[in-house]
Amino acid sequence: MLQRLCRFILKLAGWHIDIRLPKEKRYVLIGYPHTSNQDFMLAMLVKGALGVRFRFVAKHTLFWWPLGVLMRALGGIAVDRRVSTGFITQLVALYQQAKSSDAECIIGMMPEGTRSYRSEWKSGFYYLAVQADVPVVPAYLDFSTKTIGLGDPIYLSGEVESDLQQFHNFYSKVRGRYHHRAAPIKFKSR
């Protein structure tokens, strides 16, 4: 029932789903570009339409009462980006637990970390995938074609520039709602 309702809402809004779910049970799901408040609602509708269970990382300020109850029920994991707390290590442990029990573990992250313009991507998703030894599956909401899709899993090599080039190639034609807010696909220089 929920799947049909979500599909109906997406269709009514003019969105097309172009998704072939990966065979992998464990991966990091990234969404780019993240430029509007609608991105979250569309992602949750697709989650419902496909019956996919994934958790997602969101800033801790979204987890206030009573919204926090809903965010957690939808699969939200709060992160306080102002402090270094070993958050990636905690997420790696979730993947390790899932692997030991042969369970699914999909965690969604937005590499930009915000809807506002940033000059680069945040690297947490990358290091999570490397440390957990899982691929990254790129997802997109293309407002120019009203298409929601997934790419094939990308197995990271650890060669940051060549790995980022794969994301650049995949996302080169995707347009967010406010395309001028999309961050360039690069990490902060160290």
Side-chain angles (χ1 to χ4, degrees):
M1 175 78 163
L2 177 64
Q3 283 183 296
R4 285 195 300 242
L5 176 62
C6 290
R7 286 175 192 250
F8 175 74
I9 293 169
L10 287 165
K11 186 175 182 176
L12 191 65
W15 285 88
H16 168 71
I17 300 174
D18 181 21
I19 293 179
R20 186 181 72 246
L21 293 173
K23 64 179 178 9
E24 287 80 0
K25 288 183 169 184
R26 292 170 290 281
Y27 54 89
V28 175
L29 178 68
I30 63 167
Y32 174 82
H34 179 36
T35 63
S36 85
N37 289 326
Q38 289 181 9
D39 298 349
F40 177 76
M41 294 303 299
L42 289 166
M44 292 300 104
L45 284 169
V46 170
K47 181 179 179 181
L50 298 176
V52 176
R53 295 179 48 137
F54 68 85
R55 299 186 72 188
F56 60 91
V57 174
K59 60 185 173 182
H60 74 287
T61 55
L62 294 174
F63 289 79
W64 49 267
W65 172 261
L67 183 60
V69 174
L70 176 62
M71 293 291 284
R72 285 181 188 85
L74 291 171
I77 303 169
V79 61
D80 186 345
R81 298 177 298 196
R82 300 169 301 172
V83 294
S84 178
T85 60
F87 185 69
I88 297 298
T89 303
Q90 293 170 31
L91 295 179
V92 168
L94 291 176
Y95 282 105
Q96 291 170 339
Q97 290 169 1
K99 185 176 183 179
S100 68
S101 62
D102 197 32
E104 288 185 352
C105 186
I106 305 164
I107 298 176
M109 301 177 89
M110 300 296 189
E112 293 161 293
T114 182
R115 296 174 315 275
S116 303
Y117 177 79
R118 293 184 49 86
S119 58
E120 71 275 326
W121 278 11
K122 292 185 163 284
S123 58
F125 82 91
Y126 186 91
Y127 294 106
L128 172 59
V130 168
Q131 290 176 32
D133 194 27
V134 296
V136 175
V137 174
Y140 65 90
L141 300 168
D142 190 336
F143 279 79
S144 68
T145 62
K146 286 198 137 183
T147 303
I148 300 165
L150 288 182
D152 292 329
I154 296 174
Y155 292 86
L156 303 176
S157 68
E159 296 293 329
V160 175
E161 293 307 316
S162 65
D163 290 337
L164 287 177
Q165 186 61 47
Q166 290 185 70
F167 294 114
H168 181 30
N169 295 344
F170 178 79
Y171 286 118
S172 65
K173 293 186 171 116
V174 175
R175 299 290 175 256
R177 174 146 193 210
Y178 302 108
H179 186 62
H180 62 281
R181 291 186 191 167
I185 300 174
K186 64 179 185 174
F187 293 147
K188 187 175 188 173
S189 300
R190 296 189 183 239

